[in-house]
Amino acid sequence: MRIISGQYKGRRIVAPKKLPVRPTTDMAKESLFNILNNHYYFDELAVLDLFSGTGNISYEFASRGTEQITAVDSHYACIKFITETSDEFEMNINTIKSDVYKFLELSQQKFDVIFADPPYDFSTEQFATIAELVFKNELLHSDGFLIIEHSKHTDISDVDHFSFSKSYGGSVFSFFE
């Protein structure tokens, strides 16, 4: 994977093969950040990266100047990799090893962007629970987005607070506000 823009543009990051991840493709990531670029100044954001995996999305935000980034994943090796990589690049990424649902239940912090990239084989109910917890616990600022990445074979447009979606190959980003 590579960082597409910002201070670390073009830098390649090679994740260990043993991580249980499916990183967002460069094409999809570039399209996502083009959308976000029209809504936000990255250096002013508080970002929550759920099911963060390799940290691909967190690194992209950090490279663009975001300093308040929290990456949450339940897999120890993923969190360790993100911590080591962010230290190497001197990025300010706060890593938390936790079940995402438990984290969403307990968090008191508000975010401008919450990005969730759960396993594509999640049920519609599992995807909906992410949105439900974010909005029930008021974790987004009023002009914030929850973005859930999922397979093109999954439709979550009936979930409360759904706004729009964008498809890129086999991936879809569903936006909630």
Side-chain angles (χ1 to χ4, degrees), residues 110-124:
K110 284 190 181 269
F111 300 92
D112 299 294
V113 175
I114 299 175
F115 181 83
D117 186 8
Y120 275 15
D121 63 356
F122 264 27
S123 68
T124 303

Side-chain angles (χ1 to χ4, degrees), residues 6 9 25 37 39 55 64 67-68 79 101 105 115 123 126 129 136 142 156-157 159 175 177:
K9 179 180 181 177
T25 66
N37 197 41
H39 287 86
R64 293 164 188 251
E67 293 192 18
Q68 294 181 52
I79 291 300
Y101 296 110
E105 278 288 350
F115 181 83
S123 68
Q126 288 172 298
T129 300
K136 179 183 89 169
S142 60
I156 57 175
S157 61
V159 174
F175 288 74
E177 49 186 326

Side-chain angles (χ1 to χ4, degrees), residues 28-51:
K29 184 170 61 169
E30 186 167 10
S31 299
L32 169 66
F33 277 86
N34 285 339
I35 293 168
L36 295 174
N37 197 41
N38 290 321
H39 287 86
Y40 301 111
Y41 294 106
F42 289 102
D43 60 343
E44 298 174 357
L45 295 179
V47 173
L48 176 59
D49 183 5
L50 301 172
F51 304 95

